[in-house]
Amino acid sequence: MPLDNNIIQRWQKSEVLLLGGSAGSFNLIFQIVKNFEANLNKTVIIVIHRKKNFFSEIEKLFANNSRMPLKEISDKELIKKNTIFIAPANYHTLIEKEKCFSLDVSEAVWYSRPSIDVTFESAAEVYKDNCTAILFSGANQDGAEGLLKLRDCGSLTIVQDPVDAEMPQMPYAAIEIKAADYILRTNDIFELLKTQ
């Protein structure tokens, strides 16, 4: 089924794209990063659950396959367009009203730090209807409440169809609380992100 004009227009007007996922989401988010054009004209912020104290080559792998500049988030760093930012392990990433990041070491949320909820909730207050957020595969409920807050603030909220998700618990949790404007199959997510 073709994407409707409403979703395309809301995506195109967004300043920022939030991508959140856990188990089963890595390869999909990696493919999305590989497919972005250099002139996307948006900020992309990725929050993926990672094991504590687990050395990860994720940034290097993503950066080597991205046409956009890509970096791990630093505390107090200004948010820039045409850049992909990845939340670091062992910190929560928050977005401040001055459109900069802050890193926080408070308690894990849903056993996770970084927490998708923490980033999504702070983004909702700053970007309101100038934001698109997509929640992917995962084995717990992190991201659902944050996605709902984004939707309540006017953001475009999308959930990967649980049928397509390797771990459907995270998408289901968001769908159950009506946090998603749209539930999209994986191919439709790729199609949407290709429209500029």
Side-chain angles (χ1 to χ4, degrees):
M1 193 171 78
L3 296 165
D4 67 53
N5 283 334
N6 182 51
I7 189 173
I8 292 169
Q9 286 167 2
R10 290 177 69 191
W11 152 243
Q12 289 174 342
K13 117 180 232 288
S14 295
E15 281 180 57
V16 67
L17 171 65
L18 304 171
L19 303 175
S22 185
S25 69
F26 176 86
N27 286 334
L28 182 52
I29 293 174
F30 176 63
Q31 292 303 321
I32 287 170
V33 166
K34 274 178 71 172
N35 282 296
F36 280 136
E37 297 295 335
N39 60 344
L40 185 68
N41 203 32
K42 299 181 192 304
T43 304
V44 180
I45 300 167
I46 298 171
V47 185
I48 300 179
H49 291 168
R50 307 200 235 165
K51 292 186 175 72
K52 279 183 203 159
N53 305 317
F54 176 72
F55 180 74
S56 171
E57 290 280 304
I58 180 173
E59 291 83 14
K60 190 188 287 185
L61 180 65
F62 275 47
N64 288 343
N65 288 277
S66 172
R67 283 170 278 198
M68 290 169 67
L70 183 145
K71 60 199 309 273
E72 188 175 77
I73 292 165
S74 301
D75 193 40
K76 304 307 175 198
E77 182 167 19
L78 287 173
I79 295 170
K80 297 186 296 234
K81 279 194 173 178
N82 284 322
T83 305
I84 301 172
F85 294 96
I86 299 183
N90 297 326
Y91 294 92
H92 294 309
T93 295
L94 294 100
I95 295 168
E96 304 287 350
K97 63 179 184 297
E98 299 82 12
K99 295 190 178 174
C100 68
F101 294 108
S102 67
L103 299 180
D104 178 87
V105 290
S106 58
E107 287 298 306
V109 176
W110 293 107
Y111 312 102
S112 302
R113 197 171 61 203
S115 156
I116 301 165
D117 274 334
V118 168
T119 303
F120 280 15
E121 286 171 11
S122 65
E125 294 171 9
V126 176
Y127 288 103
K128 300 185 167 52
D129 63 347
N130 290 313
C131 178
T132 294
I134 307 177
L135 190 65
F136 295 100
S137 170
N140 65 26
Q141 297 177 48
D142 188 26
E145 292 289 344
L147 200 71
L148 180 60
K149 183 163 184 182
L150 281 158
R151 187 180 188 189
D152 288 345
C153 288
S155 298
L156 170 61
T157 59
I158 298 165
V159 170
Q160 181 186 14
D161 191 325
V163 171
D164 281 0
E166 200 174 308
M167 296 282 190
Q169 292 92 324
M170 195 176 275
Y172 271 132
I175 291 164
E176 278 179 11
I177 62 169
K178 298 183 170 49
D181 289 314
Y182 293 88
I183 302 159
L184 295 186
R185 300 298 292 257
T186 306
N187 287 345
D188 289 331
I189 293 171
F190 277 101
E191 281 305 308
L192 176 65
L193 297 182
K194 274 196 276 188
T195 64
Q196 294 237 9

